[in-house]
Amino acid sequence: MSEYHLVLGDPAYSSWSLRGWLLFHRWDIPCSTAFVSFSDDRSVAEQMPDMAPAKTVPALRLPDGAILGDSLAIAEEVAARHPDHAMWPTDPAFRARARDLTAEMHAGFMALRNACPMNLRCAYGDFTADDAVERDLARLDVIWTHALNQSGGPWLCGDYSIADAFYAPVAARIAGYGLAISFEAADYVAAHLADRSFLVWRQMGLTQGPDLKRYAMDNRQVPWPGPAG
Ligand SMILES: N[C@@H](CCC(=O)N[C@@H](CS)C(=O)NCC(=O)O)C(=O)O
């Protein structure tokens, strides 16, 4: 085993997989990939017995054989093995903020995540956010605006960092569900939608795997609000 091996879920729908994949693609770190299917009758864990004890995607096998089953652990470990890539910002203040933002994303925003599952194949024109989702959006506005004011944009903590990779799926949800946010936050969402690596992943999402009914909403569909590729 001489390289990283990353197992991912359906690109259209697997938000955690997008984070894990960005950690490699955005920094040009070579890895082999394999995909489980959310339409398979078997569980994710059953589809990747070689990645045990990991039971969710993304799951990473390190070149030395160790298995990681959590995206934050993957980020920390890959960043530690590639200090030259500055996946965490080198500036101490930016680095501290990036860690804080990443931790908050990893642990939070459950209302938004539950109400608006990532679906890179659809955008909706008439989705109404409930109060809990509005609270998550207000919190995103606060922390993104604070970080962007310090960094000057377009990314949260200087150059694109792990924090940005972690917020990419949330940006896709805000775009796809047409959720109302501040102008500064909207610019940050637009930066994600136009990001080269995000575009590559979305193309995979558009072409790979079946449409999954459980991710579809009854809302009116509108064109995707970002570049096609
Ligand atoms: N805390 C994990 C969460 C990963 C996760 O929940 N992945 C979902 C797909 S987006 C999954 O594999 N679900 C399958 C399952 O729970 O059985 C991480 O940060 O990687």
Side-chain angles (χ1 to χ4, degrees), residues 28-226:
D28 287 326
I29 300 171
C31 74
S32 60
T33 54
F35 288 82
V36 299
S37 171
F38 292 164
S39 54
D40 197 295
D41 288 339
R42 295 168 299 163
S43 70
V44 165
E46 287 167 347
Q47 292 181 64
M48 50 178 202
D50 51 334
M51 302 301 277
K55 63 182 176 61
T56 55
V57 285
L60 179 70
R61 188 169 59 230
L62 297 167
D64 49 35
I67 304 280
L68 301 179
D70 180 89
S71 54
L72 186 52
I74 291 170
E76 292 286 9
E77 190 56 30
V78 175
R81 288 173 185 235
H82 298 274
D84 47 318
H85 286 30
M87 297 172 73
W88 291 119
T90 48
D91 175 87
F94 279 155
R95 187 177 62 236
R97 184 164 304 117
R99 288 191 192 281
D100 196 42
L101 289 163
T102 302
E104 185 162 352
M105 179 64 250
H106 191 255
F109 303 107
M110 293 311 299
L112 174 61
R113 284 156 57 184
N114 288 334
C116 305
M118 191 179 86
N119 183 349
L120 299 179
R121 295 183 176 178
C122 289
Y124 302 109
D126 59 354
F127 182 84
T128 304
D130 65 19
D131 289 349
V133 172
E134 290 290 4
R135 281 193 293 277
D136 276 355
L137 291 169
R139 176 64 186 164
L140 285 167
D141 245 334
V142 167
I143 60 177
W144 283 359
T145 303
H146 175 260
L148 292 166
N149 284 340
Q150 303 284 321
S151 74
W155 305 115
L156 293 172
C157 305
D159 291 338
Y160 190 99
S161 74
I162 288 169
D164 299 299
F166 268 62
Y167 281 99
V170 161
R173 288 173 157 106
I174 290 172
Y177 289 83
L179 302 172
I181 43 167
S182 69
F183 288 119
E184 275 163 308
D187 282 348
Y188 180 61
V189 168
H192 277 289
L193 299 193
D195 182 67
R196 183 181 63 92
S197 292
F198 179 85
L199 290 169
V200 171
W201 176 268
R202 181 159 181 267
Q203 274 309 312
M204 287 161 53
L206 293 177
T207 54
Q208 192 174 313
D211 282 338
L212 296 181
K213 286 203 175 63
R214 65 179 180 272
Y215 292 96
M217 315 290 276
D218 290 333
N219 300 78
R220 176 173 56 88
Q221 293 201 21
V222 296
W224 180 254

